[in-house]
Amino acid sequence: MADAAQRLQGLFAQMLGAPLPVRIRAWDGSQAGPPGAPALVVRNRRALRRLLWKPGELGLARAWVAGDLDIEGDLYTMLDLLAGIVWERGEDARTLAQALRDPEVRTAVRGLIRLGGLPLPPSPPPEEVRSPRRHLHTKHTDRRAVSHHYDVGNDFYEIVLGPSMVYSCAYWPAPDSTLEQAQHDKLELVCRKLGLKPGQRLLDVGCGWGSMAVHAAREHGVSVVGVTLSQEQAAYARKRVADEGLTDKVEIRVQDYRDVRDGPYDAISSIGMAEHVGADRYLEYAADLYDLLKPGGRLLNHQIARRPQRDESAYSVDSFIDSYVFPDGELQPVGVTVTQLERAGFEVRDVESIREHYALTLRRWVARVEADWERAVLLTGPGRARVWRLYMAASALAFERNRIGVNQVLAVRTPESGASGMPLRARTWGSPARD
């Protein structure tokens, strides 16, 4: 008799202390759970073994990436329901060792072992990054992390990002605007905040595929140096620069920002890069950029932030993102970022939260991948494509629920005279120009 789904529903409810809010469809064809809810498809017993050997987010991620788990129905609804279980239990959710002190949980775990079997643990999917040395943020480890994330293939990123090839939060004039218009408006917003003028020098740290460099040179007449650690990004960006006829204005380097020595620059943009600097290195990052600016020069730091914790020492990097998406990435609260920039000598002049804009951006990226799923799988493999779909959808929900945010911090290397060069009413950049 096919009854694996019913047994799983009962065992999970026993472990969680409440019914699972989603349906389960098991490998034997059985189904159980709330009618109309999205279904968690448990394709084989190996999925259970992954959860038993690595309970929590990493076990679920491994099962998803390997194809042992799937979802039928709306992906966002499923992720929201599953995330609700975690967040309702709070940041102080019990560890497995603590949970096993509960007789009900011990009984449920024994039931899962009987249902799934417990031989040797399944090997992690090949897409997982495994390194015993984490968060060192040396030039070598940063280069390796960047390569894992960005050297997936430019063709794949074209599917995700569209023609703009901007891999950071767009700036939406309206929710129904096009992705290309919203990304154009974000680049223009950055240029306006920096007050770019013809003949100035701009350093674009973490330049990606060259979108900011091209936009700033073409629309504002500045000379740009863009630096990235990704060989594939650099090759793509250089071709874009050549195609735009901007080789006399834009130089793309494969270079660590710590090795840039040809300042001073009039302005620096750092868009979606500082998340990967690391908490221990952040003051060094801020000081390096400060030294590269001329007096009166501006920095626009566009960075994802997490919510502060009551006990900051308890913060740990998200295991799924660290293992599959961006190794060694670290988030910090926006207040910490502002403090570190000020400690480095900057005067912080403006902080703008654009959290909802990133949720809109991520949903568009997910839609693009889903619309071209077969090609995405062909370009990167099914495991990597599943990583990206899950990562972007879960991140969209995290921004919508205010679990993470994104901020543009405008800072100035204000000279001793105190003349910052900022207008009395600075926020005249709110309405980017249209093409």
Side-chain angles (χ1 to χ4, degrees), residues 33-231:
L40 188 65
V41 181
V42 186
R43 295 196 180 280
N44 49 55
R45 298 175 192 268
R46 186 172 56 248
L48 302 184
R49 296 199 290 272
R50 291 191 186 281
L51 293 174
L52 286 163
W53 280 101
K54 190 62 71 172
E57 183 179 275
L58 187 56
L60 282 167
R62 286 176 173 176
W64 168 267
V65 175
D68 300 329
L69 284 180
D70 208 342
I71 290 172
E72 285 183 355
D74 185 69
L75 175 62
Y76 294 102
T77 302
M78 172 65 82
L79 292 176
D80 221 10
L81 289 169
L82 293 178
I85 296 172
V86 176
W87 283 84
E88 285 170 12
R89 290 162 70 91
E91 292 181 353
D92 297 323
R94 296 172 299 177
T95 64
L96 179 63
Q98 292 171 323
L100 287 174
R101 296 172 188 167
D102 186 330
E104 290 289 316
V105 174
R106 287 201 303 271
T107 300
V109 169
R110 284 195 292 267
L112 287 173
I113 291 172
R114 286 193 295 270
L115 190 58
L118 195 60
L120 293 174
S123 298
E127 292 81 8
E128 182 170 318
V129 175
R130 297 182 296 280
S131 172
R133 304 177 67 196
R134 298 284 184 166
H135 314 304
L136 298 177
H137 292 287
T138 65
K139 294 176 183 178
H140 172 71
T141 59
D142 282 356
R143 189 178 302 109
R144 183 177 59 190
V146 165
S147 179
H148 173 84
H149 189 74
Y150 291 110
D151 291 340
V152 176
N154 293 331
D155 290 343
F156 173 74
Y157 275 106
E158 285 181 337
I159 293 176
V160 178
L161 306 177
S164 66
M165 287 298 282
V166 180
Y167 183 41
S168 55
C169 174
Y171 194 66
W172 297 83
D176 59 351
S177 301
T178 66
L179 177 62
E180 288 67 38
Q181 182 63 63
Q183 290 292 15
H184 169 276
D185 284 6
K186 189 275 297 300
L187 297 175
E188 183 63 17
L189 179 69
V190 171
C191 291
R192 287 171 169 242
K193 286 183 176 182
L194 289 173
L196 297 182
K197 299 178 179 62
Q200 289 185 329
R201 295 183 75 213
L202 169 69
L203 174 64
D204 187 27
V205 180
C207 67
W209 291 271
S211 301
M212 175 64 189
V214 167
H215 182 93
R218 184 184 61 217
E219 304 298 327
H220 294 269
V222 297
S223 297
V224 187
V225 172
V227 296
T228 176
L229 295 178
S230 167
Q231 295 283 353

Side-chain angles (χ1 to χ4, degrees), residues 91 302 371 397:
E91 292 181 353
H302 175 121
L397 289 171

